[in-house]
Amino acid sequence: MIKKAFKIALEYIKRLDKVLILLCVSASVFGIILLYSMYVSDFASVSAGYYKTQITALCIGVAAMLAVAAINYRFISKIWFIYAPVALILTLLLFTSLGQGVDGADDIGWLKVGSFTIQPSELLKDAFIMTFATHLYKVGKNMNRLPHFILLCVHGMIPVGLISLQGDDGTALVFLFIFVVMLIVAGLSWKYILLGCAAVPAAVYFAWNYLMQPHHKARFLVLFDAEMQQNEIQGIWYQQYWGRIALGSGKLTGVGLFADKGDYVYTSFIHNDFIYAFIGNALGFVGCIGTIAVLMMICMKIYMNSVQAKDLLGKYICIGVFSMVMIHAVLNIGMVLAVLPVIGIPLPFISAGGTSTVSLYVAMGLVLSVYGHRERKYHLFYTEKE
C-alpha cells in the first residue's frame, strides 16, 4: 500500500510542469523581497504585515495549486455548479453592507471576513475561466450559430457587468479581454469579429459621452495634455508623475534593495499597483527588463501548455489563464509608464495582495492539471475510460 502510494506520488511529481512552477514561485519570492526591502528601509509606510501576508498567500497559493493540479480538469469542469455560484454570491455580497472599499480606491471590492479581507472579483476570474471554457467546449462548432453566440455573450457579460457596477472598471476590462480572447481562439466567425470592430467607435462614443464620469475622462485626457499634467501634479497626475520619476531615477542598475529611505522616490500604492516603479527605482532598467522577461516566460509556458492540451477544453482553460496574466501585466506596466490610465490593476505574482496571489496560483493549478493529464492513462483520483 505504501509502495503504491509512493509510486503514485512520484508519478504525480513527474507530470508537474516544474518550469512553470519555478517561474511563478520565483516571481512571487521576488515580490516578497521587494516588500521586505520597503519595510526594512522604512519606505512608503509598508508594515511587516504586507510581506508576511504575501508569504502566507504564497504558501496557501502553492498548496492550492498543487491540489488543483492533482485533479483532472475535466472533473473540475463538471462540478462548475459548486464553485461558480459561490464566486458569484461572494461578488453579489459586495452590493450589501458587507462590501468595503480601501483608501484611494474608487470601488467597493472587498469583503471583511474576520480579521481578513478578500476580493471576490479575483475568485470570480478563476470561476469564469472554467465555466466559460466549459461552455465553449460544450457548444463546439455551434458557437457561431446566433442562439449559442448570444448565450456565450450573456455568459461573458455577467461578470463584466457586475464588476463594472461595483466600480472596478479595470477588473471589468480584464474580464472583457479574457472573454474576447477565449472566443477568438475557440473559432469565432470573422463576421462577428468584423461586426465587433465596426461597433467599437460607436461603443467608445457612447461610453465617453454617457457612461464615463468626469474623473474617468480626466485619467485619459491627462496622458496627452502637458498643460493638464502641470495643473494636476497634486491631483489625477500625481501617481503617474511620481511613478515615472521613480521608474527613471534608478537608471541602469538602480539604487539597490535595502537602501536608505531617502534614496527611493515615493508614489501612492507603490507596494501594490505601482510596484513596477519601485523595481525601476531599486533595480533600474535591468530589473525592469528582467521582470518583463519572467512574466513573458510565464505567459509563453502557459500558451505552450494550451497547444499541448489533449482536448479543446484544456486548450480553452490555458488560453483563459494566459490572457488573464498577460492583460494584467500589460495594463499594470502601461499605468506606470503613463501610456495607459490608472485603473488599479496589480502586477501578477509581484504586487502585494493576498487574494490575487492565491487566485493566480489556483489558475496555475488549472494549467498544471491540463499539462499533467495530457495522457488518458494517468489520473490521480480515478481512471478515465478510454
Side-chain angles (χ1 to χ4, degrees):
M1 185 68 179
I2 296 177
K3 186 177 180 180
K4 184 178 180 180
F6 184 70
K7 184 178 179 180
I8 293 174
L10 283 179
E11 186 69 13
Y12 165 68
I13 294 171
K14 180 181 176 181
R15 291 177 177 272
L16 288 174
D17 188 345
K18 301 171 190 65
V19 174
L20 181 59
I21 295 173
L22 179 62
L23 288 170
C24 294
V25 173
S26 296
S28 292
V29 171
F30 175 56
I32 292 169
I33 292 172
L34 294 174
L35 294 173
Y36 184 69
S37 172
M38 294 181 198
Y39 166 68
V40 170
S41 302
D42 191 28
F43 173 66
S45 300
V46 173
S47 67
Y50 283 105
Y51 77 82
K52 289 180 180 179
T53 296
Q54 207 64 10
I55 292 172
T56 303
L58 173 59
C59 294
I60 295 173
V62 170
M65 174 182 67
L66 295 176
V68 172
I71 306 171
N72 192 322
Y73 62 93
R74 296 176 70 91
F75 175 73
I76 299 174
S77 170
K78 291 177 182 178
I79 60 170
W80 64 267
F81 56 87
I82 296 176
Y83 53 81
V86 171
L88 196 59
I89 290 170
L90 289 174
T91 303
L92 290 172
L93 287 176
L94 294 172
F95 296 94
T96 71
S97 59
L98 297 176
Q100 295 186 351
V102 297
D103 293 337
D106 299 330
D107 62 312
I108 305 298
W110 288 261
L111 287 177
K112 187 76 171 179
V113 181
S115 58
F116 300 96
T117 56
I118 63 171
Q119 206 169 356
S121 62
E122 298 295 333
L123 306 177
L124 188 62
K125 289 175 190 173
D126 294 338
F128 174 69
I129 289 172
M130 277 304 305
T131 56
F132 197 60
T134 301
H135 194 165
L136 286 170
Y137 180 67
K138 286 186 175 181
V139 299
K141 295 180 180 180
N142 294 318
M143 65 172 291
N144 288 307
R145 294 185 178 181
L146 192 58
H148 290 293
F149 177 70
I150 291 174
L151 287 175
L152 286 168
C153 288
V154 170
H155 189 158
M157 290 305 104
I158 288 174
V160 173
L162 282 176
I163 301 302
S164 183
L165 287 173
Q166 170 197 312
D168 190 351
D169 295 322
T171 301
L173 183 61
V174 170
F175 275 103
L176 181 62
F177 184 81
I178 296 170
F179 164 71
V180 171
V181 172
M182 291 180 72
L183 267 183
I184 292 174
V185 170
L188 183 65
S189 171
W190 279 104
K191 65 181 180 181
Y192 290 125
I193 295 176
L194 292 175
L195 183 63
C197 291
V200 167
V204 170
Y205 176 84
F206 180 80
W208 183 267
N209 289 283
Y210 300 104
L211 297 179
M212 295 178 67
Q213 299 298 318
H215 67 278
H216 292 142
K217 296 179 182 180
R219 290 180 181 179
F220 283 92
L221 295 174
V222 74
L223 299 175
F224 312 102
D225 191 332
E227 182 178 350
M228 187 177 180
Q229 291 173 4
Q230 290 296 320
N231 295 332
E232 291 289 342
I233 286 180
Q234 297 301 321
I236 290 175
W237 186 239
Y238 173 85
Q239 196 172 17
Q240 289 179 302
Y241 173 77
W242 287 107
R244 288 205 301 180
I245 290 177
L247 189 69
S249 63
K251 298 182 181 179
L252 183 61
T253 58
V255 300
L257 295 171
F258 311 109
D260 293 332
K261 180 179 180 179
D263 293 332
Y264 297 128
V265 178
Y266 173 79
T267 190
S268 53
F269 288 95
I270 200 162
H271 64 287
N272 193 326
D273 299 341
F274 269 66
I275 200 167
Y276 191 72
F278 182 73
I279 294 172
N281 195 171
L283 301 173
F285 179 76
V286 173
C288 289
I289 293 299
T291 301
I292 292 175
V294 171
L295 292 174
M296 284 182 63
M297 285 189 286
I298 291 173
C299 288
M300 289 172 62
K301 198 69 183 71
I302 296 170
Y303 179 78
M304 289 307 300
N305 287 347
S306 77
V307 174
Q308 297 171 6
K310 75 175 182 180
D311 59 15
L312 290 176
L313 176 61
K315 177 181 179 179
Y316 298 153
I317 292 170
C318 290
I319 288 298
V321 177
F322 162 80
S323 58
M324 178 179 69
V325 175
M326 184 178 72
I327 192 61
H328 264 265
V330 169
L331 291 177
N332 180 274
I333 294 173
M335 287 192 306
V336 178
L337 295 177
V339 296
L340 293 173
V342 175
I343 50 178
I345 296 296
L347 192 62
F349 300 103
I350 298 172
S351 290
T355 310
S356 63
T357 298
V358 173
S359 68
L360 263 175
Y361 276 98
V362 170
M364 292 304 114
L366 296 173
V367 175
L368 291 177
S369 177
V370 173
Y371 180 87
H373 293 89
R374 290 173 295 172
E375 297 178 13
R376 289 179 179 270
K377 64 181 181 181
Y378 171 75
H379 299 290
L380 188 60
F381 295 140
Y382 65 95
T383 301
E384 181 180 303
K385 295 182 180 179
E386 297 288 345

